[in-house]
Amino acid sequence: MNEKTSYKSKLQAFLLILLLTLGVFLPQSTELKSAGIAAPYRIGVVQKTAYGSVRGYKEGKALVWKGIPYAKPSVGELRWKAPQKPESWTGVKDATKDAPQSIQGVGAGAAGVEGGQFLNIFRPDNNKKGLPVFVYIHGGNNQFGSAAELPGGKLAVATDAVIVPIQARLGLLGFITLPALKTGDPLEDSGNYALLDFAAALDWIRENIEAFGGDPNNITISGFSAGGRDVLALLISPIFKGKIHKAYSFSGGLTLSDVKDSQKVIARQLAKLVTEDRPEYSEEEAAKWLLGKGEDVREYLYGLSAERLEALVKNAQIRMSGFPHLFKDGAVLPKEGFATSKFNAIPAILLASKSEFSLFAISDPYFADNVKEKKFLTDPTARKELEFAIKHGSLLYEYFNAEEAVKAVFKKYKAPLYTVDILWGTDKSITGDEFATLYGAAHGIFRPFLSGENIGLAQQFPAIFQNKGAQELTKTFQAYLKNFLHTGDPNGKGLPRWSKWRDSKEGPTQLLLDADREKAIVRQRGKRITYAEILKGIQADNSVSPEAKKNIVTTVLNGRWFSKGLDKKYKNKNLWK
C-alpha cells in the first residue's frame, strides 16, 4: 500500500468514525429509526426514544407527552411476571392523550386496562438539557388512580425540571403473594409486582430521558399517599440501588406486610370467587385450597378475569389488613423491613399535613348519615363526634407520615432527612368556608401547591385557593422543591431556612407551611408531640360521651396505618385474623 492509499484509507476511516459519532444529529427519520437508542433532546414535540418516536403537544410554556409505554403489557401469561421491555414501533406514536388507567375497582365492577404500564412526561418549552427528573407515583392505596393525578406542565416550568408521573399494576394484579404463583424467580416470587413495574419505569427513564432533556443521573422519586409509602419502601429495596438519587414522600409512612399473614387474608378474599365458581366448596375450604401450591390453583387464578379480581377488593380505607401489599419477601423488600441497616440512603423529604385524617373520618361509615345530611352544621353532638375523630386521627396520621418514619430510621440512615407540615386550610377566617375548614389541611392538600393547578381540594373549593396568600404559598412550595431537585438541598436564596431533621435535646426541626389571605407564612419548630401524648389526649378528651369515644376508637380509628399503639392500648380487635 503506497503512502497516498494509506492516507486515503485513514481519512475514510476517520470520516466514518466522525459520521457515526455525529449520527445522532441526523434527521430522526433516517439512521436512528432502527438504531434502538434514544436521540438527544432537540426542542419540539417529536422526540425519539429507544423504542420509537413520540409526538406530544405544547401546553402553555410546557411540552407534554402522554401514554408512553415503559413495559410490555403484563397480560396473559405475563400477568404475574416481572415486566418486560416494551415493543418497538415504526412511525411516530401519538402521545397527546392520557393512557387508560390500570384496571381498578369502580363501583360494583372495575374499569381500566390490564397491564396499564404507562408514563407521562412534562418539560419546559425551551432548549435546556440535563434537567433534573421528578418521577411521581400517584395515590389510591395501590388500588386506584392513574398517572393523570399530576398535571405537570406548570410544575415543570416552575422547577425547571422534567416531570414524569407513572402508573403500574394495581390491586391484586400489583400485589399478590400465593404459593401457587411462584415461579422460582426471587423477584417474581416476592408478589410485589407493582414495585417491579416501578423499577422497569425507572430503567426506561434512565434509558430514554435524555431524549426529553432530562438527566438520568439526577432522578427524584416521589409519591402521594400509597405512592409516598411506596417511595419509602423503595429506600430499603436492593433492586432500586443506584436507580434513584433523591426522594420526596407526600403523606406516606412506613407500611409493610408479613407474607404469611397476607397470604391468609388474600386467600380469604379470593375464596368468595372460588365459591361462586365451585359451589361445592365452602369459603373455608376454598381459602385452604388457594393456599396450596397446585398447578390447578395457578390455572384458576390466571383464568380469572381482571375485572373480577379488581372488583373483589374495595377501598381498604388506609388499613393494610383490608388489602395487604408491600410484602417483606426477602428479595424485593427485606424480611426485617425498616429495621434493616441497608438503606438506599439518599436525601429525602417527608411531608405531612395538619388534618390528614379528615377525609377518612368524613367518609367513614360511622359518620355517613352525619355527613350526608350535614348534621354537623346543626347538631352540636354530631359535630363534636366528627371533630373528635378528625382531631385525634389527624394527630396520629400526621405523626405517622413524617415524625414516626424518620425516628424509626434516623440512626441508620446516612443521608439528609427533612420533614415539612402543611397547616394551611384550618383557619375559617382565611378559608371563609365552613365545610372546607372541616376538611382543613387534609390528606392531599399539597397537590394544588405542588402542581400550581386547580386540582384536588382546589377543584372542590376553588375560591379559597385564589387569594394572594395561597398563591404565594404555591410559589414558596415550588421554590423549595426546585432547589431540592437541582441540588438535593431545599434551601436557597430568598427562602426561610429549612434545617434537616436532627436527633438532639431540642427535638427534630420541622418546616411549617401556612398562609393568611395576603402572604405565605413559613417557620420552623423543634419540639413535637409524642405518640404517648396523643394517646393521653384521647383519654383526657371528654368532648364526646364515653360511649361515642369507645365507638370511634374501636371502629373508626382502629386498624389504620397509624393505629398500632392505639389498638394495643384499647385492646382493639386484630383485623388480620
Side-chain angles (χ1 to χ4, degrees), residues 24-273:
V24 291
F25 297 106
L26 294 174
Q28 295 184 18
S29 60
T30 58
E31 306 294 333
L32 288 173
K33 186 173 181 180
S34 59
I37 57 173
Y41 172 73
R42 291 180 299 170
I43 191 168
V45 297
V46 176
Q47 301 299 333
K48 173 68 168 64
T49 77
Y51 304 95
S53 295
V54 291
R55 182 185 299 278
Y57 62 98
K58 185 175 179 179
E59 181 180 75
K61 297 180 180 180
L63 299 179
V64 183
W65 297 266
K66 292 182 174 180
I68 302 175
Y70 63 80
K72 191 175 182 178
S74 293
V75 299
E77 282 300 311
L78 298 179
R79 171 178 278 182
W80 287 302
K81 300 289 177 61
Q84 298 185 4
K85 285 184 176 293
E87 294 181 347
S88 298
W89 60 87
T90 58
V92 180
K93 181 186 286 291
D94 178 68
T96 61
K97 300 179 181 65
D98 285 313
Q101 64 189 13
S102 293
I103 191 164
Q104 53 199 265
V106 176
V113 299
E114 186 172 0
Q117 293 137 309
F118 300 98
L119 54 78
N120 299 335
I121 299 175
F122 304 81
R123 65 147 293 138
D125 183 14
N126 57 36
N127 60 4
K128 290 185 180 180
K129 300 177 184 178
L131 298 177
V133 182
F134 181 73
V135 180
Y136 180 86
I137 305 171
H138 64 80
N141 199 45
N142 286 313
Q143 294 177 281
F144 309 102
S146 75
E149 177 177 285
L150 179 63
K154 291 181 180 179
L155 178 61
V157 174
T159 58
D160 209 17
V162 181
I163 311 301
V164 189
I166 64 177
Q167 61 186 49
R169 284 172 280 185
L170 296 170
L172 290 172
L173 294 172
F175 294 97
I176 187 170
T177 173
L178 290 178
L181 294 175
K182 299 192 181 300
T183 66
D185 179 319
L187 300 186
E188 289 181 343
D189 291 354
S190 76
N192 291 306
Y193 303 102
L195 297 192
L196 301 185
D197 285 349
F198 298 152
L202 287 166
D203 287 342
W204 189 97
I205 291 165
R206 286 164 62 84
E207 180 184 25
N208 294 280
I209 204 63
E210 286 182 287
F212 302 90
D215 181 355
N217 296 309
N218 188 2
I219 295 175
T220 298
I221 187 72
S222 74
F224 164 49
S225 194
R229 295 186 294 107
D230 294 337
V231 164
L232 296 179
L234 304 191
L235 298 182
I236 60 172
S237 173
I239 72 170
F240 288 89
K241 185 176 181 179
K243 295 182 189 291
I244 48 180
H245 309 101
K246 295 180 288 296
Y248 203 138
S249 173
F250 299 100
S251 294
L254 308 184
T255 53
L256 303 174
S257 290
D258 175 81
V259 171
K260 293 294 183 183
D261 289 343
S262 298
Q263 287 176 339
K264 293 174 183 177
V265 171
I266 292 168
R268 287 199 299 268
Q269 292 170 335
L270 285 168
K272 298 170 185 175
L273 299 185

Side-chain angles (χ1 to χ4, degrees), residues 463-508:
I464 69 174
F465 287 84
Q466 299 307 313
N467 61 52
K468 292 181 180 179
Q471 292 172 359
E472 185 177 311
L473 185 55
T474 297
K475 293 179 181 178
T476 301
F477 192 96
Q478 292 177 337
Y480 278 119
L481 176 60
K482 179 179 181 178
N483 294 333
F484 185 68
L485 296 182
H486 285 261
T487 69
D489 184 337
N491 292 289
K493 186 177 180 181
L495 293 172
R497 179 71 186 169
W498 184 353
S499 299
K500 64 183 180 181
W501 205 94
R502 66 184 188 277
D503 193 10
S504 67
K505 291 181 180 180
E506 291 78 24

Side-chain angles (χ1 to χ4, degrees), residues 505-524:
K505 291 181 180 180
E506 291 78 24
T509 300
Q510 183 172 49
L511 192 74
L512 302 179
L513 295 178
D514 202 351
D516 58 24
R517 288 181 175 273
E518 297 297 325
K519 64 184 182 304
I521 301 171
V522 183
R523 59 188 176 88
Q524 290 193 117

Side-chain angles (χ1 to χ4, degrees), residues 213-351:
D215 181 355
N217 296 309
N218 188 2
I219 295 175
T220 298
I221 187 72
S222 74
F224 164 49
S225 194
R229 295 186 294 107
D230 294 337
V231 164
L232 296 179
L234 304 191
L235 298 182
I236 60 172
S237 173
I239 72 170
F240 288 89
K241 185 176 181 179
K243 295 182 189 291
I244 48 180
H245 309 101
K246 295 180 288 296
Y248 203 138
S249 173
F250 299 100
S251 294
L254 308 184
T255 53
L256 303 174
S257 290
D258 175 81
V259 171
K260 293 294 183 183
D261 289 343
S262 298
Q263 287 176 339
K264 293 174 183 177
V265 171
I266 292 168
R268 287 199 299 268
Q269 292 170 335
L270 285 168
K272 298 170 185 175
L273 299 185
V274 175
T275 56
E276 290 175 9
D277 299 330
R278 305 182 182 189
E280 68 273 17
Y281 281 163
S282 67
E283 285 198 8
E284 185 178 347
E285 290 170 334
K288 184 177 179 180
W289 177 70
L290 286 162
L291 290 171
K293 299 179 180 180
E295 181 65 20
D296 55 340
V297 179
R298 181 187 179 281
E299 289 179 0
Y300 175 77
L301 293 171
Y302 268 89
L304 289 170
S305 71
E307 288 76 12
R308 291 183 75 196
L309 279 166
E310 296 302 272
L312 179 65
V313 181
K314 296 301 183 182
N315 194 343
Q317 283 289 309
I318 62 173
R319 288 185 172 103
M320 191 66 91
S321 58
F323 169 56
H325 53 285
L326 296 174
F327 310 119
K328 295 182 288 183
D329 64 286
V332 173
L333 295 173
K335 290 184 177 180
E336 66 271 27
F338 289 100
T340 185
S341 59
K342 297 179 180 179
F343 288 92
N344 299 318
I346 54 179
I349 297 176
L350 285 75
L351 174 145

